[in-house]
Amino acid sequence: MERERSAAAVMLGMAGFVVLAVSEHDGELEQAVETTADLVGCPRCGAVAQLPDRRPSWVRDLPSGGRPVTVVWVKRVWRCRHAWCPTRTWTPDLVGDRGSGVADRAGPRRDLPTRRTGRDVGGGGGPGVRIGWRTAMVAVREHGQPRVDDPARLADVDTLGMDETAFQAASARRATSFVTGIVDLTRRPGRARLLDVVAGRSASVLISWISERDAGWRAGIVTAALDPYHGYASALRTALPDAVRVLDAFHVVRLSFAAVDEVRRSIQRQDTGHRGRRDDPLYGIRRLLRRGHDHHCERSWERLLAGLEAGDTGDEQLTRTWVAAQDLRLIYHSGNRARAEGLLYRWLTYCADAGIPELTRLAHTIDSWHTELLAYFDTGGVSNGPTEATNLLIKKIKRVGHGFRNFDNYRLRLLLHCGVDWDTIRATPIRGRLPRSVA
């Protein structure tokens, strides 16, 4: 035990500390230490302090012998003897602690540069993490650019997904700029990977990106999922003529419920002459109208039917539009292409006979995507949902960075976060307990 404590003391190398216990748990080395100072004065009045309690504090230390190390600092809680002293109680400071060196050993923050240009990275951190974007991006480029440029990152891809997102908001001197994210939707364990981000959202930029890939890679793409945007569809027809294009089911259902909202607003304005208000019957059921019929409870059904009865037109335009939206949603539950094709034909006929402008416009849109919609059943239900999830991560990176002005830096940060498989070892969580003593 004394040999192990001595080894731990040498490994810690911190003056003014003593090792209390060393243990190993799940491959993690845990070391309990405390300060050796027995006589401490009050920092305010100078009186000799009392020691009523101890409080453990867990600090992630540098790894040792290939294993993660946690230092359990058993802090002494000191109390001033004088009741009139405003200091009352205190513990040793983690940062410095009279030269203890614990903060200097806890992680790589001490190695970060301290040059400040522009905004501080890291928010309210200490002086060791207050660096400018230029300094941070130099380190990011040096470390991340080789990973992003690795050709193996684009290997073994057979399904693509694509969607646009805003890069820079409109201002007095520029319009809103968009980027197109290209995502690997190949079914494999783990989340979808971001393959690349290209500036713009037109067919030409997507064709240009696909054309830069070699012929073998293009031949391996068998499926592509997309939302109802004809620019991407035409690009896929040109650059990947053999790939099956699949219209995303979420966007189809969203279009149908958007038609329900349009009819509701039209009736609202026609009957009341104003937008929806709290006591208007149709405004009160606006959320219920966007809910699937199988997700209603008895109480919500009663509210929905009462609102339609009180606010719908005499020829029940809103009710018929709502039924059409539910029927379009149920096509995806048909199970096979033949049955789905029959249900889609009946749905288009229903919309044509309804004589409701919003339904007619929706039917024209769905009919123009007839082939891509039915391809959903030929591909086992390929979805563009993982692409939308990647879009959320893209927006999170932009929000954390408070916006980007340089597209190359923006692209690099996105690919490092969403498009690279990191081989780092997951850190062992710090447990709220003292280490077990080694006998």
Side-chain angles (χ1 to χ4, degrees), residues 255 257-267 269 358 361:
L255 286 176
F257 284 115
V260 174
D261 267 346
E262 291 175 4
V263 174
R264 178 186 62 80
R265 294 191 186 101
S266 176
I267 296 174
R269 289 191 297 267
E358 291 81 4
R361 186 164 56 248

Side-chain angles (χ1 to χ4, degrees), residues 160-222:
L160 289 181
M162 55 215 65
D163 199 6
E164 78 280 355
T165 185
F167 167 46
Q168 289 181 329
S171 67
R173 293 179 293 179
R174 66 167 184 263
T176 303
S177 58
F178 291 87
V179 297
T180 297
I182 304 168
V183 180
D184 176 17
L185 299 183
T186 306
R187 290 176 177 173
R188 57 167 65 97
R191 70 182 188 186
R193 292 186 302 116
L194 181 65
L195 298 178
D196 209 343
V197 179
V198 293
R201 56 170 177 175
S202 62
S204 59
V205 298
L206 185 57
I207 292 174
S208 176
W209 185 88
I210 296 176
S211 301
E212 292 174 358
R213 315 278 82 79
D214 58 78
W217 187 90
R218 295 197 301 269
I221 304 300
V222 297

Side-chain angles (χ1 to χ4, degrees), residues 327-396:
D327 288 343
L328 181 60
R329 176 174 170 267
L330 288 176
I331 291 177
Y332 287 98
H333 297 270
S334 55
N336 59 78
R337 180 189 175 96
R339 178 171 172 78
E341 192 168 7
L343 292 176
L344 181 59
Y345 176 78
R346 290 175 51 189
W347 183 85
L348 292 172
T349 304
Y350 175 85
C351 293
D353 295 339
I356 302 174
E358 291 81 4
L359 267 186
T360 303
R361 186 164 56 248
L362 175 64
H364 279 299
T365 302
I366 298 301
D367 191 35
S368 66
W369 293 92
H370 178 274
T371 304
E372 288 79 5
L373 189 151
L374 294 177
Y376 174 86
F377 302 93
D378 299 331
T379 58
V382 169
S383 171
N384 211 29
T387 307
E388 299 292 341
T390 305
N391 245 357
L392 291 179
L393 296 178
I394 290 175
K395 295 175 182 178
K396 179 188 294 186

